[in-house]
Amino acid sequence: MLPWPARYHHLPRFVLRGLVPPRKVPILIVGMSHTNAVAHALDHTPDRRFGIINLRQVKVPEDTAEMTAKETRASLRIRRRPIPLFARFAPTVVVSMVGGANHHMLGLFEHAEPFDFEMPGAPDVLPGRRRLTYAEVRAVFEFHVHNSLDTIALLRRYYGKPVLHISAPPPTSDEAHIRRTLAPTRGDAVARQPLTPAPIRMKMYLLQNQILREHCAANDITFVEPPAEALDDDGFLAEPYRSFDPVHGNVTYGQLVIRDILRHPVTVAALGPSANEATP
Amino acid sequence: MSHPYADIPDYRHWRRAPGAADPGNLDPVVATKFAITPEEPVASAGSCFAQHVSEHLRRCGLNSLVTEKAPDFVFPRLRQQLQYGVFTTRSGNVYTARQLRQLFDRAYGRFEPEAVAWEAGDELVDPFRPNVSRYVSESELLADRERHFAAVRAMVETLDIFVFTLGLTETWADRDGAVFPLAPGVAGGDFDATRHHLLTLGVDEVVDDMRAAIATIRTHNPAAKVILTVSPVPLMATALDRHVLTSTTHSKAILRVAAQTLADADPLIDYFPSYEIITAPHTRGSYYAEDAREVTPLGVAHVMRVFLKHYVGETTAETLAAKVAKGHARKKGGKRPGSVESAKHIIDAICDEDALRDVR
């Protein structure tokens, strides 16, 4: 992980540029919690070409009693306006792993009014549930992801370098895994909550990716699908790649993401043919 | 000297009636035929001006009936954008009396128009409410339309008072007589001169259509009361070869006469002069926005102040407003289990903790 002391956050960009010259990072990964799978993989197999900024390291006040008021204000500011942070790095290729958990937030747990919806080209809906329109579900997602979309577009506009956006891992179809991993941290009551049927959770994931794909296309960003071998026959996250929670990929998944980044034509074009060669 | 105007009350005399010098006090309502109690379900439909009426009724704490409710999944602040709660049902604007009559006929299975869906780019729209939603397939559109029809029937059968704003007399019709709120091609579909034709409804037709629509309500709900208003919003465009202003005055005159005809003949139909309040010379056009078409919030507030004063009573209206304010204060805080907010809290916590977890 790249260090970025909070005491600098309040400084304007021109001061930061003079104070701390931007650090050259061949592949700069910016994201939230999904970057942890990659970070853990790099712990196992270090590669100095990578730098990772996890924007979630900036804690919100209620989570961090130990932060001073000044640090808290600075942290919130950087999370909302990350340019002073971005100004500290000079990447060759930028990799976005921003957002990606919205389909879980909106669809992991069954709603009070169970629903289903039709995806374009996939007319099947489960019986006995309120049938929402695709337009309604999409409007909710667009509303929910707009901050992530802004941050992803900002990476391209700010750096002016090639940007890859890595899709978040798909959901798991295994309800037992979800309940098993929720119980220790979130408690039995949460783990017992009814879950949205897996086919609907998958639709929500696909819808999220569709919005991201369109956003990337409109902003000259390359959207990268999740590694094919990490998926089961139905497109869900396969068992060997699941983390200890219902949301994230594990270190093996992170290794596949690193491989896909390095093999991607955008990376190869930017870094040259040596992009594929590991440099521990 | 005695003459028929010697002892008339102030409201019958232009100079003595309040409003000319103090437009805010203009109040053209003399008496209403009935009152609205806070418990009575009030349904609303009509042209775009009716949206303001519907919103204000709700804000004022009256029982503004909504039978087509947004799914829990849709955040409250998105609901209006998706046309939930704008009117009692998700009907979109019902501009003409013919459109209202046919909406009821379609909801009760008495009329099945030939037009089912219009293409709009890669998607489909409902020809009879093209600005309400877009659909990915005909089956999705038909399922949503069935839900809408059920909501229309629920409205007809549960309302106590129906507020309808008459908006237009020009409308485009299909060859089977089905009328559309917007001309084919404007928000979907294609205009076909061999199939689509312009209708310009006259007073008798508007009266007939409204009587038929009200008859549907009364069949299921004999005690239903109706308040008619005429939208003060001018036509955006006219299909006739004349100035849009003369088409506007002609259209509004027809609607105004039709509303009065209906009200004069039925003790449970009232006319409320929102049109007059907005267009009165007293206000010197100040209730229109810069485009000389949209009604300003000040104008809407004046209309609703007069509406509440006469149908609800000033004291009751103030009590209701205080209750609404209290209700808003009470709503703050708390994450309902099973809600998006609750799920977001859980996933947020998982995402934060993931940074601390050991790897597999």
Side-chain angles (χ1 to χ4, degrees):
Chain A
M1 293 288 179
L2 295 166
W4 36 281
R7 66 178 182 276
Y8 289 149
H9 291 164
H10 64 286
L11 297 174
R13 186 179 161 195
F14 71 92
V15 174
L16 285 169
R17 279 204 182 277
L19 195 63
V20 185
R23 177 175 156 188
K24 288 185 179 171
V25 182
I27 304 171
L28 178 66
I29 299 178
V30 179
M32 282 87 164
S33 57
H34 285 298
T35 62
N36 288 317
V38 174
H40 294 324
L42 289 170
D43 288 344
H44 282 239
T45 314
D47 186 335
R48 294 174 65 84
R49 292 172 297 180
F50 282 88
I52 300 178
I53 299 173
N54 182 347
L55 293 170
R56 263 203 179 272
Q57 283 180 336
V58 182
K59 299 283 188 175
V60 291
E62 57 265 34
D63 292 339
T64 53
E66 71 275 13
M67 287 177 84
T68 66
K70 194 173 175 182
E71 282 171 335
T72 300
R73 280 197 301 275
S75 297
L76 281 172
R77 190 162 48 238
I78 202 75
R79 195 154 158 179
R80 289 172 189 155
R81 294 195 181 85
I83 284 182
L85 173 64
F86 294 167
R88 309 258 304 279
F89 305 100
T92 308
V93 177
V94 184
V95 176
S96 158
M97 295 183 79
V98 173
N102 300 95
H103 61 111
H104 292 297
M105 290 173 187
L106 293 168
L108 179 61
F109 297 108
E110 185 80 288
H111 284 250
E113 183 183 38
F115 66 88
D116 198 353
F117 65 103
E118 181 179 331
M119 286 286 284
D124 291 341
V125 289
L126 295 178
R129 309 172 71 84
R130 178 163 179 177
R131 184 174 175 166
L132 306 189
T133 63
Y134 175 76
E136 287 168 339
V137 181
R138 188 176 164 117
V140 171
F141 264 89
E142 285 177 347
F143 179 81
H144 213 254
V145 302
H146 73 272
N147 284 338
S148 297
L149 298 184
D150 289 348
T151 306
I152 295 166
L154 181 64
L155 289 171
R156 179 75 181 94
R157 282 205 310 276
Y158 180 76
Y159 287 119
K161 299 286 183 182
V163 177
L164 300 176
H165 178 79
I166 309 291
S167 161
T172 171
S173 58
D174 183 354
E175 290 201 1
H177 168 79
I178 296 171
R179 294 189 191 288
R180 199 168 51 242
T181 54
L182 276 175
T185 53
R186 308 266 50 92
D188 288 341
V190 170
R192 279 197 302 269
Q193 278 189 37
L195 300 173
T196 304
I200 301 175
R201 288 190 285 111
M202 175 54 84
K203 284 187 200 178
M204 296 177 92
Y205 169 74
L206 294 174
L207 171 54
Q208 172 182 281
N209 272 4
Q210 181 58 28
I211 292 169
L212 284 161
R213 203 177 283 112
E214 289 170 17
H215 181 74
C216 288
N219 288 279
D220 192 22
I221 293 167
T222 306
F223 183 85
V224 180
E225 302 287 348
E229 54 269 66
L231 313 182
D232 67 17
D233 291 343
D234 297 316
F236 291 96
L237 187 62
E239 197 279 333
Y241 302 96
R242 294 174 198 154
S243 178
F244 288 118
D245 64 50
V247 174
H248 300 98
N250 62 15
V251 64
T252 318
Y253 185 87
Q255 285 165 343
L256 293 181
V257 171
I258 291 170
R259 181 205 64 190
D260 285 356
I261 292 170
L262 291 173
R263 283 184 185 173
H264 199 283
V266 168
T267 315
V268 173
L271 297 185
S274 64
N276 271 319
E277 295 162 15
T279 55
Chain B
M1 197 191 300
S2 170
H3 59 77
Y5 302 96
D7 299 318
I8 59 172
D10 286 354
Y11 63 79
R12 287 174 58 188
H13 196 280
W14 191 272
R15 283 192 188 149
R16 299 207 304 265
D22 48 349
N25 286 329
L26 175 65
D27 179 359
V29 179
V30 175
T32 59
K33 292 183 179 175
F34 45 83
I36 301 175
T37 65
E39 297 75 31
E40 286 179 308
V42 182
S44 62
S47 76
C48 47
F49 187 71
Q51 293 179 16
H52 299 304
V53 177
S54 173
E55 190 187 341
H56 267 74
L57 291 179
R58 194 166 38 252
R59 273 201 217 156
C60 295
L62 287 174
N63 186 3
S64 179
L65 182 65
V66 176
T67 56
E68 195 163 1
K69 289 192 168 66
D72 276 0
F73 181 69
V74 174
F75 304 147
R77 70 174 83 170
L78 277 178
R79 288 176 186 169
Q80 197 163 18
Q81 183 187 320
L82 293 169
Q83 298 284 311
Y84 284 103
V86 174
F87 298 108
T88 298
T89 69
R90 218 168 156 228
S91 60
N93 292 338
V94 178
Y95 292 109
T96 62
R98 181 70 51 87
Q99 197 189 336
L100 179 69
R101 175 186 191 163
Q102 290 184 356
L103 172 63
F104 289 170
D105 286 346
R106 289 163 58 229
Y108 281 97
R110 298 190 295 255
F111 179 40
E112 197 171 330
E114 197 180 322
V116 174
W118 280 347
E119 288 183 1
D122 294 339
E123 298 168 306
L124 298 174
V125 294
D126 186 338
F128 302 97
R129 41 180 197 152
N131 285 333
V132 166
S133 184
R134 293 190 161 227
Y135 302 95
V136 295
S137 72
E138 195 170 298
S139 67
E140 187 187 57
L141 184 154
L142 293 176
D144 197 42
R145 183 182 286 165
E146 274 314 307
R147 172 173 284 277
H148 173 54
F149 283 165
V152 170
R153 292 192 296 272
M155 173 185 82
V156 164
E157 289 157 28
T158 56
L159 63 84
D160 277 354
I161 292 155
F162 183 51
V163 182
F164 184 70
T165 301
L166 294 150
L168 298 176
T169 53
E170 286 184 25
T171 186
W172 286 90
D174 207 345
R175 58 188 163 205
D176 62 356
V179 297
F180 306 116
L182 294 173
V186 172
D190 290 311
F191 181 75
D192 179 350
T194 63
R195 174 174 174 166
H196 302 125
H197 60 282
L198 179 71
L199 284 182
T200 51
L201 304 173
V203 173
D204 291 345
E205 290 165 297
V206 174
V207 169
D208 278 354
D209 288 335
M210 281 310 299
R211 282 193 174 137
I214 293 167
T216 298
I217 296 175
R218 295 253 171 89
T219 301
H220 300 276
N221 193 344
K225 291 167 270 191
V226 177
I227 299 173
L228 295 176
T229 68
V230 172
S231 168
V233 179
L235 275 67
M236 177 62 88
T238 178
L240 300 172
D241 185 24
R242 64 187 183 195
H243 196 282
V244 67
L245 181 58
T246 53
S247 273
T248 295
T249 53
H250 186 210
S251 177
K252 301 299 179 186
I254 289 169
L255 296 175
R256 179 65 188 86
V257 172
Q260 195 67 51
T261 305
L262 290 158
D264 287 348
D266 191 324
L268 292 181
I269 300 178
D270 209 357
Y271 171 72
F272 176 74
S274 54
Y275 177 81
E276 285 80 349
I277 293 171
I278 300 300
T279 60
H282 306 66
T283 64
R284 281 86 174 165
S286 63
Y287 286 160
Y288 282 104
E290 282 189 4
D291 63 357
R293 185 169 181 272
E294 290 299 320
V295 176
T296 63
L298 198 64
V300 175
H302 189 159
V303 167
M304 294 314 299
R305 192 168 65 242
V306 174
F307 185 96
L308 291 171
K309 175 183 164 190
H310 291 281
Y311 283 107
V312 181
E314 277 170 314
T315 317
T316 312
E318 278 168 22
T319 314
L320 288 173
K323 264 189 193 172
V324 170
K326 232 184 218 175
H328 281 309
R330 210 180 292 131
K331 270 183 190 168
K332 288 181 180 173
K335 292 186 179 70
R336 198 161 40 91
S339 66
V340 170
E341 293 80 9
S342 157
K344 185 175 185 306
H345 190 67
I346 293 166
I347 301 297
D348 266 344
I350 289 170
C351 291
D352 279 334
E353 285 164 7
D354 188 60
L356 310 174
R357 200 179 308 287
D358 204 351
V359 293
R360 197 166 174 176

